[in-house]
Amino acid sequence: MPPSPPVTASLFFTCMADALYPNVAMAAATVLERFGVTVRVPPAQTCCGQPAFNSGHRKEARKMAAGFLRAFDGEGYIVTPSGSCAVMVKEMYPVLFRNEPRMLDLACAVGERVYELSQFLVDVLGVTDPKSAFKGKVTLHDSCHLLRGLGVREQPRTLLRAIPGVELVEMEQSDRCCGFGGVFSVKNPLVSCAMVDKKIERILATGAQYVASGDLGCLMNIGGAVSRSGYPVKPIHLAEILAGPPADGNAP
């Protein structure tokens, strides 16, 4: 059963949203507040350490992770508009601190409180109707970390299908990687470009006006290829669609 209000959640907005897409962080806060969540924003939060971890720099990643754990130590849910960063905290922090019992306990305790946005709305709050309005034909890209790391597939679809004006059209192989993979796209640019080109072929085949995702890295990668080629499709974060104006003009 959904928890009784009031619910408090700390917004883990990620460094990508902080530096490049603050509108996504604001949209996530808007959606949470629409459903009565008291949103806190720990000011000391920084990068979760994923770029360093993925590059093999474990010492630097542990330093970033320790800072994150200090910033979010306490009580209440931790919600992020990023499947990738959620997986980093929940799955990789225990790896980083496996030989440090005190930090391992803290990492596990904090990790249990972390949820990706659509996962939190559907699985914790029991939301089946985001009470928003949006107009357009939308296809959904399943990011690797969100789908394979967290097992989140149906939650964003449940929300999108409930929005008046949204026509959700599935692309073939929506779960195939877009080729971003953080440093993968930097170290293997030719392979990465081939992968995103294939992804865009599948997106365009749907005739969708928008391609949505729960990870900004994927959207940045897809968006870069789209902008270079002038394809008629707009990348958009799921939170931005969910944060559309209330369908009935009133917040629930």
Side-chain angles (χ1 to χ4, degrees):
M1 294 289 292
S4 300
V7 174
T8 298
S10 295
L11 181 60
F12 165 26
F13 48 73
T14 80
C15 50
M16 187 169 284
D18 183 32
L20 300 173
Y21 303 99
N23 50 304
V24 171
M26 295 299 294
T30 296
V31 175
L32 292 171
E33 289 176 345
R34 179 173 294 169
F35 287 94
V37 177
T38 299
V39 178
R40 298 185 302 203
V41 182
Q45 63 178 298
T46 60
C47 174
C48 63
Q50 186 176 184
F53 181 86
N54 290 347
S55 300
H57 302 301
R58 300 299 172 90
K59 178 181 178 181
E60 289 78 6
R62 272 195 295 276
K63 183 177 180 181
M64 300 300 292
F68 180 94
L69 294 175
R70 285 194 297 271
F72 285 94
D73 189 17
E75 298 180 348
Y77 298 101
I78 300 168
V79 181
T80 179
S82 169
S84 179
C85 296
V87 167
M88 177 65 195
V89 177
K90 294 176 74 69
E91 303 296 331
M92 299 299 113
Y93 279 16
V95 174
L96 284 173
F97 297 114
R98 63 181 179 273
N99 296 321
E100 302 174 55
R102 187 182 67 81
M103 291 300 292
L104 178 60
D105 289 345
L106 179 59
C108 292
V110 171
E112 289 179 356
R113 296 161 46 212
V114 173
Y115 291 84
E116 179 274 335
L117 178 63
S118 70
Q119 181 186 35
F120 181 74
L121 291 171
V122 175
D123 295 349
V124 177
L125 296 185
V127 173
T128 55
D129 181 354
K131 308 292 184 185
S132 62
F134 188 87
K135 185 174 179 56
K137 196 171 183 179
V138 179
T139 193
L140 185 69
H141 162 66
D142 292 297
S143 70
C144 295
H145 280 108
L146 183 61
L147 178 63
R148 299 179 181 85
L150 297 181
V152 172
R153 184 182 188 282
E154 290 306 315
Q155 293 89 332
R157 288 173 169 80
T158 296
L159 296 171
L160 286 173
R161 289 190 185 107
I163 299 175
V166 169
E167 180 185 357
L168 179 62
V169 288
E170 294 287 355
M171 74 175 86
E172 289 188 9
Q173 299 179 324
S174 62
D175 61 340
R176 293 297 174 92
C177 178
C178 69
F180 180 58
V183 293
F184 173 83
S185 62
V186 176
K187 293 182 176 179
N188 304 278
L190 295 180
V191 177
S192 174
C193 286
M195 293 172 74
V196 77
D197 285 345
K198 196 66 181 176
K199 172 62 68 175
I200 289 174
E201 282 182 19
R202 297 181 184 117
I203 294 169
L204 295 177
T206 67
Q209 300 161 281
Y210 299 91
V211 54
S213 178
D215 266 302
L216 280 170
C218 302
L219 291 174
M220 184 174 68
N221 189 42
I222 294 170
V226 165
S227 66
R228 289 191 294 273
S229 303
Y231 293 127
V233 62
K234 181 180 179 181
I236 186 169
H237 194 282
L238 177 66
E240 295 177 283
I241 298 178
L242 300 178
D248 59 1
N250 298 296

mmCIF file of all heavy atoms in Angstrom, residues 182-200:
data_model
loop_
_atom_site.group_PDB
_atom_site.id
_atom_site.type_symbol
_atom_site.label_atom_id
_atom_site.label_comp_id
_atom_site.label_asym_id
_atom_site.label_seq_id
_atom_site.Cartn_x
_atom_site.Cartn_y
_atom_site.Cartn_z
ATOM 1 N N GLY A 182 28.699 6.473 -21.021
ATOM 2 C CA GLY A 182 29.680 7.337 -20.372
ATOM 3 C C GLY A 182 31.000 7.330 -21.129
ATOM 4 O O GLY A 182 31.073 7.728 -22.295
ATOM 5 N N VAL A 183 32.041 6.840 -20.484
ATOM 6 C CA VAL A 183 33.364 6.861 -21.122
ATOM 7 C C VAL A 183 33.447 5.897 -22.303
ATOM 8 O O VAL A 183 34.366 6.011 -23.121
ATOM 9 C CB VAL A 183 34.473 6.532 -20.098
ATOM 10 C CG1 VAL A 183 34.598 7.632 -19.069
ATOM 11 C CG2 VAL A 183 34.223 5.199 -19.423
ATOM 12 N N PHE A 184 32.502 4.976 -22.419
ATOM 13 C CA PHE A 184 32.506 4.079 -23.588
ATOM 14 C C PHE A 184 32.433 4.887 -24.876
ATOM 15 O O PHE A 184 33.136 4.602 -25.855
ATOM 16 C CB PHE A 184 31.320 3.109 -23.517
ATOM 17 C CG PHE A 184 31.161 2.270 -24.747
ATOM 18 C CD1 PHE A 184 31.904 1.108 -24.916
ATOM 19 C CD2 PHE A 184 30.284 2.650 -25.762
ATOM 20 C CE1 PHE A 184 31.774 0.338 -26.075
ATOM 21 C CE2 PHE A 184 30.150 1.884 -26.914
ATOM 22 C CZ PHE A 184 30.898 0.729 -27.061
ATOM 23 N N SER A 185 31.577 5.897 -24.893
ATOM 24 C CA SER A 185 31.416 6.697 -26.106
ATOM 25 C C SER A 185 32.668 7.516 -26.421
ATOM 26 O O SER A 185 32.895 7.887 -27.573
ATOM 27 C CB SER A 185 30.202 7.623 -25.963
ATOM 28 O OG SER A 185 30.377 8.526 -24.883
ATOM 29 N N VAL A 186 33.458 7.800 -25.386
ATOM 30 C CA VAL A 186 34.699 8.560 -25.588
ATOM 31 C C VAL A 186 35.817 7.633 -26.070
ATOM 32 O O VAL A 186 36.576 7.969 -26.974
ATOM 33 C CB VAL A 186 35.117 9.252 -24.277
ATOM 34 C CG1 VAL A 186 36.453 9.969 -24.445
ATOM 35 C CG2 VAL A 186 34.034 10.222 -23.826
ATOM 36 N N LYS A 187 35.885 6.444 -25.479
ATOM 37 C CA LYS A 187 36.959 5.508 -25.832
ATOM 38 C C LYS A 187 36.678 4.744 -27.117
ATOM 39 O O LYS A 187 37.619 4.256 -27.769
ATOM 40 C CB LYS A 187 37.159 4.515 -24.680
ATOM 41 C CG LYS A 187 37.706 5.162 -23.410
ATOM 42 C CD LYS A 187 37.926 4.108 -22.321
ATOM 43 C CE LYS A 187 38.563 4.740 -21.093
ATOM 44 N NZ LYS A 187 38.765 3.737 -20.009
ATOM 45 N N ASN A 188 35.416 4.615 -27.470
ATOM 46 C CA ASN A 188 35.044 3.841 -28.662
ATOM 47 C C ASN A 188 34.067 4.648 -29.522
ATOM 48 O O ASN A 188 32.920 4.242 -29.733
ATOM 49 C CB ASN A 188 34.399 2.513 -28.254
ATOM 50 C CG ASN A 188 35.285 1.692 -27.341
ATOM 51 O OD1 ASN A 188 36.181 0.982 -27.775
ATOM 52 N ND2 ASN A 188 35.032 1.805 -26.028
ATOM 53 N N PRO A 189 34.517 5.792 -30.054
ATOM 54 C CA PRO A 189 33.568 6.682 -30.743
ATOM 55 C C PRO A 189 32.945 6.072 -31.986
ATOM 56 O O PRO A 189 31.770 6.327 -32.267
ATOM 57 C CB PRO A 189 34.432 7.901 -31.078
ATOM 58 C CG PRO A 189 35.844 7.402 -31.063
ATOM 59 C CD PRO A 189 35.883 6.347 -30.008
ATOM 60 N N LEU A 190 33.677 5.279 -32.744
ATOM 61 C CA LEU A 190 33.117 4.734 -33.976
ATOM 62 C C LEU A 190 32.010 3.723 -33.666
ATOM 63 O O LEU A 190 30.953 3.723 -34.308
ATOM 64 C CB LEU A 190 34.221 4.076 -34.817
ATOM 65 C CG LEU A 190 35.293 5.036 -35.347
ATOM 66 C CD1 LEU A 190 36.336 4.276 -36.163
ATOM 67 C CD2 LEU A 190 34.669 6.144 -36.190
ATOM 68 N N VAL A 191 32.271 2.866 -32.683
ATOM 69 C CA VAL A 191 31.251 1.893 -32.290
ATOM 70 C C VAL A 191 30.044 2.620 -31.694
ATOM 71 O O VAL A 191 28.889 2.295 -31.986
ATOM 72 C CB VAL A 191 31.828 0.888 -31.271
ATOM 73 C CG1 VAL A 191 30.740 -0.084 -30.800
ATOM 74 C CG2 VAL A 191 32.986 0.118 -31.879
ATOM 75 N N SER A 192 30.316 3.618 -30.859
ATOM 76 C CA SER A 192 29.241 4.383 -30.227
ATOM 77 C C SER A 192 28.359 5.060 -31.274
ATOM 78 O O SER A 192 27.121 5.025 -31.189
ATOM 79 C CB SER A 192 29.833 5.427 -29.284
ATOM 80 O OG SER A 192 28.824 6.262 -28.757
ATOM 81 N N CYS A 193 28.996 5.668 -32.287
ATOM 82 C CA CYS A 193 28.224 6.353 -33.341
ATOM 83 C C CYS A 193 27.378 5.364 -34.131
ATOM 84 O O CYS A 193 26.232 5.665 -34.497
ATOM 85 C CB CYS A 193 29.170 7.109 -34.281
ATOM 86 S SG CYS A 193 29.856 8.610 -33.554
ATOM 87 N N ALA A 194 27.932 4.186 -34.402
ATOM 88 C CA ALA A 194 27.161 3.167 -35.132
ATOM 89 C C ALA A 194 25.947 2.723 -34.321
ATOM 90 O O ALA A 194 24.855 2.509 -34.865
ATOM 91 C CB ALA A 194 28.053 1.968 -35.454
ATOM 92 N N MET A 195 26.134 2.624 -33.002
ATOM 93 C CA MET A 195 25.026 2.198 -32.148
ATOM 94 C C MET A 195 23.931 3.254 -32.079
ATOM 95 O O MET A 195 22.733 2.936 -32.127
ATOM 96 C CB MET A 195 25.556 1.869 -30.742
ATOM 97 C CG MET A 195 26.462 0.645 -30.712
ATOM 98 S SD MET A 195 27.283 0.383 -29.129
ATOM 99 C CE MET A 195 25.899 -0.228 -28.148
ATOM 100 N N VAL A 196 24.322 4.515 -31.953
ATOM 101 C CA VAL A 196 23.291 5.557 -31.857
ATOM 102 C C VAL A 196 22.591 5.740 -33.195
ATOM 103 O O VAL A 196 21.394 6.043 -33.242
ATOM 104 C CB VAL A 196 23.885 6.886 -31.325
ATOM 105 C CG1 VAL A 196 24.665 7.618 -32.391
ATOM 106 C CG2 VAL A 196 22.768 7.775 -30.773
ATOM 107 N N ASP A 197 23.304 5.549 -34.303
ATOM 108 C CA ASP A 197 22.652 5.635 -35.610
ATOM 109 C C ASP A 197 21.565 4.568 -35.742
ATOM 110 O O ASP A 197 20.485 4.820 -36.282
ATOM 111 C CB ASP A 197 23.686 5.465 -36.731
ATOM 112 C CG ASP A 197 24.548 6.701 -36.911
ATOM 113 O OD1 ASP A 197 24.188 7.769 -36.385
ATOM 114 O OD2 ASP A 197 25.603 6.599 -37.579
ATOM 115 N N LYS A 198 21.863 3.363 -35.257
ATOM 116 C CA LYS A 198 20.874 2.289 -35.305
ATOM 117 C C LYS A 198 19.684 2.617 -34.406
ATOM 118 O O LYS A 198 18.524 2.352 -34.763
ATOM 119 C CB LYS A 198 21.521 0.973 -34.857
ATOM 120 C CG LYS A 198 20.728 -0.257 -35.229
ATOM 121 C CD LYS A 198 20.685 -0.432 -36.740
ATOM 122 C CE LYS A 198 19.874 -1.652 -37.136
ATOM 123 N NZ LYS A 198 19.747 -1.756 -38.603
ATOM 124 N N LYS A 199 19.999 3.166 -33.242
ATOM 125 C CA LYS A 199 18.912 3.563 -32.322
ATOM 126 C C LYS A 199 17.997 4.590 -32.984
ATOM 127 O O LYS A 199 16.771 4.508 -32.890
ATOM 128 C CB LYS A 199 19.521 4.117 -31.026
ATOM 129 C CG LYS A 199 18.547 4.750 -30.043
ATOM 130 C CD LYS A 199 17.507 3.783 -29.505
ATOM 131 C CE LYS A 199 18.119 2.737 -28.605
ATOM 132 N NZ LYS A 199 17.077 1.875 -27.987
ATOM 133 N N ILE A 200 18.586 5.559 -33.665
ATOM 134 C CA ILE A 200 17.777 6.610 -34.291
ATOM 135 C C ILE A 200 16.947 6.044 -35.437
ATOM 136 O O ILE A 200 15.809 6.474 -35.664
ATOM 137 C CB ILE A 200 18.689 7.769 -34.756
ATOM 138 C CG1 ILE A 200 19.211 8.507 -33.518
ATOM 139 C CG2 ILE A 200 17.936 8.725 -35.662
ATOM 140 C CD1 ILE A 200 20.220 9.577 -33.816
#
